[in-house]
Amino acid sequence: MRKVWIKWLLLSSVAAAVLAGVAHAASMLGPKRQAELVYLVRQDCGSCHGMTLKGGLGGPLLPEALAGADSESIASIILHGVPGKPMPPWTGQLTREEAVWIAGKLKQGFPR
Amino acid sequence: MKRREFLKTSAFGAALAAAMPSRAMACPAGLRGTGDLAVIVERASGSVLIADTTARETLGRVEGLGDLSHASATFSRDERFAYIFGRDGGLTKLDILEQVIAKRVIQAGNSIGGAISDDGRLVAVSNYKPGGVNVFDARNLEPVAEIPAVYGDGKRSKTVGLVDAPGRRFIFTLYDAGEIWIADFSKGAKPSIQRFADIGELPYDALITSDGRHYIAGLFGEDGLVHMDLWADDPKPRRILGGYGRGEKKLPVFKMPHLEGWALAAGRFLLPAVGRHELLAVDARTFEEAGRVKVHSQPIFAVARPDGRHVWVNFAHPDNDTIQVVDVPSLSIIRTFKPGRATLHMEFTPRGHEVWLSVRDADRVDVYDTRTFEKLGELPARKPSGIFMTARAHTIGL
C-alpha cells in the first residue's frame, strides 16, 4: 500500500517536472526567436491566412475565430497540418513549444 | 539689374514649385510616357512604389491602399492607370502619372486578384468572402455586376484563377465547388454565365494563354490539371496530366504555386508541380506530359523570359532565397543563385533584357541582366512583393 503511494508520488513528481520543463521551455523562447516567429506568422502563414490574419485561402486566425479551440489543439494543427487541405505540417521548422507559443498568441491577438 | 533678374527667377521658381508639387521633381519636363513604368507592391505597409524601369529609379510612393498581402495589378489600355487588388477587398484605381489614388472602393471582405476586360471597360475582382466575382466600370469603379459563386445547397465558394478572355469575357474557378465559370459580358452589363461542374478537387489557381485559347486550372486536392480549349465549338474541361505525382506522397506545401506567369516556350508549357520539387513540361498541342525538370525546391512561379528561351523559377518557404534558370530546349538548369531571403516575385521587362526581383526580407528590388546574369542595380522598397510593369496592359490574361 505504502509502496504504491510512493510510486504514485514519484510518477506525479516526474510528470510535474516534465510539465515544468515544458512551461520553462516556452518561457525560454528568447525575444529574438519570438520576433522571428511573429515575422514567420505574419509573412509566411500570412500568404494563405492573410497578413492581418483575417483569412484567405486558409481560414481566419483572429481570436474570435479561434475562441472555440484550445492552444494545444491549435498547436497540434500547426505541427501536423490538416490532411486533404493545403495546411502543411510545420514539424521540423517549429518545435512543440514554439507552436504552443504561437497558438497562445493567436488566441490573445497576435503581435504586430 | 542683376537683382531684378534674380527676383524674377526666384518668383518664377516659387510659382512653378507651387503649381507642380513633388511629382515635378521626378519629371521636370512635365510630360512623359508610362510604357516603361512599373508598380511595385509594398505588401506590409499598404503602399506601392512607382518605378522608372529605364532609369532604374523610384519616382514615388503612394500610400493608403489597405492590406496588400497577395496584391496584384492590371492596367488600363492607355497604361496610365493601374487597378490594384488588395487582400482586404480593396480595389484601387491608381493614377500612375499623377501618383495619386484616383478612386478606391472596398468591394468585399477578402479578395484574391482581378482582371480587366479586353475592351478595357470592365474590371473584375475575385473574392473569397463573400465568394464570387464583382465587376466594375473601369472609369469610376461603379458596380456593374455581382456574380455570387453559389453551389450545392446555396453555399458560396471562394473564387480563384480569374482572367479576361477575348469577347468581353471573364473566366474563373470555384475553389470549394470544383467548377469553372465563364461570364460573358458581350451583350452588356448583365452577363450570361456558363458553368462547368466536377472539374476536380480544390482547384487553387488558373491561367489563360496569351492567345486567349487555353484555360488551365491546377488542382490541389488531386494530381493533375484541367484544360479547356476555348476555341472549341463546345468547350469542355478535361483532365490533363492525371496522376503526375504517381501516387507518391505529396510534400507539405508551405506556399501555393502560382500559375500566372506560366511559361509557354518552344512548344511546351512549364508549370510548377504541387508538393514536388519539379516543373512539369506539357506539350502545347497535345497537352500530354513532355518531360520534367528537377528543381531546387517546391516551385512557386515559373516565368518565361519573353522570348521563351529561359524560364526563371522561385521557390516556397523555407527555400525562397533561391532562383533557378531553366534552359527550355534542353530542359536543364543553367543557373542557380541566391538573391536573398524571400525572393517573392519576378517581372521581365517587355522584351526580356532585364528581370526585376523583389527580395522581401532585404527590403529591396534587384535588377538583373537576363543574359549575363549580372546584377545591374537595386532599389530600396519596404517588404516588396509583386512587381507589375505597365506593358501587361496589352497581354491577354494579365
Side-chain angles (χ1 to χ4, degrees), chain B residues 2-242:
Chain B
K2 253 188 179 164
R3 189 164 158 254
R4 204 189 278 163
E5 247 179 33
F6 170 73
L7 276 175
K8 227 165 92 183
T9 324
S10 58
F12 177 69
L16 193 71
M20 308 210 306
S22 62
R23 63 179 175 276
M25 311 290 275
C27 45
L31 281 175
R32 70 157 298 151
T34 55
D36 61 351
L37 298 186
V39 171
I40 300 169
V41 172
E42 296 183 311
R43 68 198 294 271
S45 51
S47 52
V48 295
L49 296 179
I50 295 163
D52 177 333
T53 64
T54 303
R56 289 192 211 114
E57 65 183 26
T58 300
L59 300 181
R61 171 180 280 126
V62 180
E63 297 187 295
L65 283 81
D67 179 359
L68 293 184
S69 56
H70 211 290
S72 60
T74 60
F75 294 92
S76 63
R77 294 183 64 232
D78 62 6
E79 295 187 4
R80 173 162 179 179
F81 298 99
Y83 298 92
I84 310 211
F85 309 99
R87 167 70 89 186
D88 54 1
L91 165 62
T92 308
K93 181 175 181 178
L94 176 75
D95 185 329
I96 297 169
L97 271 182
E98 300 271 4
Q99 298 176 20
V100 293
I101 292 172
K103 186 81 193 271
R104 176 171 161 77
V105 294
I106 301 290
Q107 53 82 44
N110 202 315
S111 315
I112 193 73
I116 188 162
S117 59
D118 56 0
D119 62 359
R121 292 183 187 280
L122 300 173
V123 173
V125 193
S126 180
N127 291 321
Y128 281 162
K129 214 163 76 188
V133 168
N134 289 342
V135 179
F136 300 87
D137 186 318
R139 285 167 304 181
N140 48 22
L141 304 188
E142 290 298 320
V144 170
E146 264 184 58
I147 310 172
V150 177
Y151 72 106
D153 48 6
K155 281 184 294 207
R156 288 180 74 158
S157 172
K158 292 171 182 152
T159 55
V160 298
L162 169 65
V163 299
D164 61 288
R168 220 178 191 230
R169 289 179 298 170
F170 292 109
I171 309 183
F172 54 95
T173 295
L174 279 63
Y175 172 77
D176 306 288
E179 298 187 6
I180 292 173
W181 290 17
I182 301 179
D184 183 335
F185 285 85
S186 60
K187 303 232 159 46
K190 201 168 177 298
S192 68
I193 293 177
Q194 251 185 305
R195 299 172 58 153
F196 303 90
D198 301 320
I199 64 158
E201 283 290 306
L202 302 179
Y204 65 90
D205 195 14
L207 64 85
I208 189 168
T209 52
S210 57
D211 56 8
R213 176 171 181 178
H214 303 289
Y215 185 75
I216 299 173
L219 299 175
F220 183 85
E222 37 192 313
D223 286 339
L225 299 109
V226 180
H227 167 237
M228 279 183 86
D229 181 351
L230 303 167
W231 286 8
D233 294 332
D234 185 18
K236 287 267 183 296
R238 69 181 182 107
R239 188 66 59 87
I240 57 169
L241 272 67

Side-chain angles (χ1 to χ4, degrees), chain A residues 3-79:
Chain A
K3 243 188 194 162
V4 172
W5 186 80
I6 290 178
K7 208 166 150 191
W8 181 84
L9 189 75
L10 261 171
L11 267 175
S12 57
S13 53
V14 168
V18 168
L19 280 175
V22 170
H24 189 61
S27 65
M28 282 300 283
L29 286 181
K32 182 161 173 281
R33 185 58 184 156
Q34 290 187 13
E36 283 168 8
L37 293 179
V38 169
Y39 191 79
L40 177 89
V41 170
R42 289 273 168 205
Q43 300 291 334
D44 295 300
C45 303
S47 57
C48 277
H49 295 279
M51 229 165 31
T52 56
L53 305 177
K54 63 181 222 179
L57 203 61
L61 303 178
L62 299 173
E64 311 85 89
L66 300 176
D70 58 63
S71 294
E72 278 297 324
S73 16
I74 298 168
S76 168
I77 291 175
I78 295 172
L79 292 172

Side-chain angles (χ1 to χ4, degrees), chain B residues 367-390:
Chain B
V367 183
Y368 283 84
D369 184 301
T370 57
R371 279 162 210 281
T372 63
F373 305 105
E374 184 195 344
K375 186 167 156 182
L376 301 172
E378 55 183 58
L379 288 80
R382 300 180 200 145
K383 302 278 170 278
S385 55
I387 302 171
F388 303 91
M389 295 190 189
T390 51

